[in-house]
Amino acid sequence: MYCAEQIKIPSELPDILKEFTKAAIRTQPVDVLQWSTFYFEALFEGHVPPTKAHLEPSASSERLGGISKGVLAILHKQLGHHKFVTTSLLRERWCQAGCNPAKLDELLSVGDIQGEKIEWEKLLAVACTALEKSLSGALRVLCEVLSTDSEGGGSRIPLEQFSSLYNYLVIVDGGLSKEKVSAVMQFLSDEAKRYGGKVGPREFTHSKCPRLDAH
């Protein structure tokens, strides 16, 4: 038998378990044991763990193959530091985040994204269209995930980055003329001058901004 004086608890253990518990509650993984493995492996290897910043409703996420804004934010933290990611790493991180592999294949097909190396921001943009019915709604989510603004800020991203992803989604959607896209970008170019070359949802949902989509 051990007495209390003989049991030595590592000084860092309470904080580790506390952070783990909070992360599990926020993330609500379907398979807690499997997710726990990914969580501690990421910490050990110095990677970003598959942890949501906030608790989200689970029903819609399950219906969409496990993806949500919170999940996409996790994946962006893990993968967004490179322009291109290998399909093997993408699939690994996708599954670790609790997403359905079939949903990934569907998004790759919708975005006409092929090859052994995937342009991460394009896939992220297509994934946002699965969360929102309108193009403007998808771009709002995209800006919220990509932006480095503090929480509650304008969720702005560089105009050049926005233009590239917006034009890509217009091609994927196939419903907006070049003239209308040009009108949108002209308006946003003027707005970007007020915000250090950046734009966000407040700008492209402004009443004076031309519609971002044809719907």
Side-chain angles (χ1 to χ4, degrees):
M1 296 290 291
Y2 289 96
C3 62
E5 291 74 15
Q6 293 176 295
I7 301 174
K8 184 178 180 180
I9 299 175
S11 59
E12 65 271 25
L13 183 60
D15 285 339
I16 290 174
L17 294 179
K18 179 181 178 180
E19 290 304 313
F20 165 74
T21 302
K22 288 162 61 177
I25 291 172
R26 289 197 307 269
T27 306
Q28 295 287 303
V30 176
D31 188 330
V32 177
L33 287 177
Q34 185 180 56
W35 176 85
S36 300
T37 301
F38 300 145
Y39 177 86
F40 285 111
E41 280 183 351
L43 290 184
F44 179 75
E45 294 173 0
H47 299 151
V48 177
T51 305
K52 292 182 181 180
H54 304 285
L55 182 65
E56 294 181 308
S58 60
S60 59
S61 176
E62 292 173 3
R63 177 174 52 82
L64 294 169
I67 64 172
S68 66
K69 186 174 76 171
V71 167
L72 295 180
I74 291 174
L75 291 170
H76 183 61
K77 287 181 180 179
Q78 294 176 329
L79 303 171
H81 51 285
H82 292 301
K83 182 176 177 65
F84 293 91
V85 296
T86 62
T87 53
S88 58
L89 178 60
L90 174 60
R91 291 186 183 279
E92 178 183 313
R93 294 288 188 264
W94 186 267
C95 292
Q96 288 178 359
C99 299
N100 190 329
K103 188 64 177 181
L104 174 58
D105 291 333
E106 177 189 327
L107 295 174
L108 291 171
S109 176
V110 169
D112 193 25
I113 302 172
Q114 305 173 25
E116 287 302 311
K117 290 189 175 182
I118 304 299
E119 190 169 347
W120 164 244
E121 287 188 0
K122 284 188 175 181
L123 176 61
L124 176 62
V126 174
C128 289
T129 66
L131 300 179
E132 295 287 337
K133 294 181 179 180
S134 68
L135 190 54
S136 60
L139 286 163
R140 173 183 54 78
V141 175
L142 183 59
C143 285
E144 289 170 352
V145 173
L146 291 174
S147 179
T148 57
D149 290 349
S150 58
E151 190 170 352
S155 298
R156 295 183 178 90
I157 63 175
L159 178 66
E160 183 179 352
Q161 183 182 28
F162 178 88
S163 176
S164 175
L165 294 172
Y166 174 47
N167 277 278
Y168 167 67
L169 289 181
V170 166
I171 293 172
V172 172
D173 184 66
L176 200 63
S177 68
K178 291 183 179 180
E179 290 76 14
K180 289 185 177 180
V181 172
S182 295
V184 169
M185 291 312 305
Q186 180 58 59
F187 176 85
L188 293 179
S189 295
D190 293 338
E191 289 294 298
K193 295 173 184 176
R194 302 168 54 199
Y195 300 104
K198 295 183 176 183
V199 293
R202 292 179 185 175
E203 287 69 62
F204 60 72
T205 59
H206 194 281
S207 60
K208 292 183 178 180
C209 181
R211 289 183 61 87
L212 270 66
D213 48 36
H215 307 297

